[in-house]
Amino acid sequence: QVQLVESGGGLVQAGGSLRLSCTASGLPYDYAMGWFRQASGKEREGVSCISWTGSVTDYTDSVKGRFTISRDDAKNTLYLQMNSLKPEDTAMYYCAARRRGCTGMLAAGERDINYWGQGTQVTVSS
């Protein structure tokens, strides 16, 4: 049974930083992993993903240069380092895993994502 458990969310002032973590259990080694977010009243959007080898990464335009995704397979953990946070980054952040890889993952529909975490809330105050 696959489980993805996020942590690291919280309340931070604009310009601050947070690091999200997602610990995976039971996940096969060759899955891409990523982060999605959903703000109140909005659709879920892809934020960033990383291939199972770590050689491919992708970011949505609004976070490029501010967020960095990484994975530590020895710890079965995915990270999202978020710097220069803005109020518009406020959302529930979800960890996700996809068998088909990182390419196209951010635009993938929910049915194309194999596993989801429960989410961690990030709130950025102005």
Side-chain angles (χ1 to χ4, degrees), residues 9-13 18 121-125:
L11 173 64
V12 64
Q13 288 188 331
L18 283 174
Q121 177 68 37
V122 172
T123 303
V124 184
S125 63

Coordinates of all heavy atoms in Angstrom, one line a residue, residues 9-13 18 121-125:
G9 N 4.3 22.6 6.0 CA 3.5 23.7 5.8 C 3.3 24.6 7.0 O 3.8 24.2 8.1
G10 N 2.8 25.8 6.8 CA 2.6 26.7 8.0 C 2.3 28.1 7.5 O 2.0 28.3 6.3
L11 N 2.4 29.0 8.4 CA 2.1 30.4 8.2 C 3.4 31.2 8.1 O 4.3 31.0 9.0 CB 1.2 31.0 9.3 CG 1.0 32.5 9.3 CD1 0.2 32.9 8.0 CD2 0.2 32.9 10.5
V12 N 3.6 31.9 7.1 CA 4.9 32.7 6.9 C 4.6 34.0 6.3 O 3.6 34.2 5.6 CB 5.8 31.9 6.0 CG1 5.3 31.7 4.6 CG2 7.2 32.5 6.0
Q13 N 5.4 35.0 6.6 CA 5.2 36.3 6.0 C 5.7 36.4 4.5 O 6.6 35.6 4.2 CB 5.9 37.4 6.8 CG 5.3 37.7 8.1 CD 5.9 38.9 8.8 OE1 7.1 39.2 8.6 NE2 5.1 39.5 9.7
L18 N 9.8 28.4 3.2 CA 9.3 27.2 3.8 C 9.9 26.0 3.0 O 10.1 26.2 1.8 CB 7.8 27.0 3.8 CG 7.0 27.8 4.8 CD1 5.5 27.7 4.5 CD2 7.3 27.4 6.2
Q121 N -1.1 22.7 4.5 CA -1.5 24.0 4.2 C -0.3 25.0 4.3 O 0.5 25.0 5.2 CB -2.6 24.5 5.2 CG -3.0 25.9 5.0 CD -3.8 26.1 3.7 OE1 -4.6 25.3 3.3 NE2 -3.6 27.3 3.1
V122 N -0.2 25.9 3.3 CA 0.8 26.9 3.2 C 0.0 28.3 3.2 O -0.8 28.4 2.3 CB 1.7 26.8 2.0 CG1 2.6 28.1 1.9 CG2 2.6 25.6 2.2
T123 N 0.2 29.1 4.1 CA -0.4 30.4 4.2 C 0.7 31.5 4.2 O 1.5 31.5 5.1 CB -1.3 30.6 5.4 OG1 -2.3 29.5 5.3 CG2 -2.1 31.9 5.3
V124 N 0.6 32.4 3.3 CA 1.6 33.5 3.2 C 0.8 34.8 3.5 O -0.1 35.2 2.7 CB 2.3 33.6 1.8 CG1 3.3 34.6 1.8 CG2 2.9 32.2 1.5
S125 N 1.2 35.5 4.5 CA 0.6 36.8 4.9 C 1.3 37.9 4.2 O 2.5 37.9 4.1 CB 0.5 36.9 6.4 OG 1.8 37.0 6.9

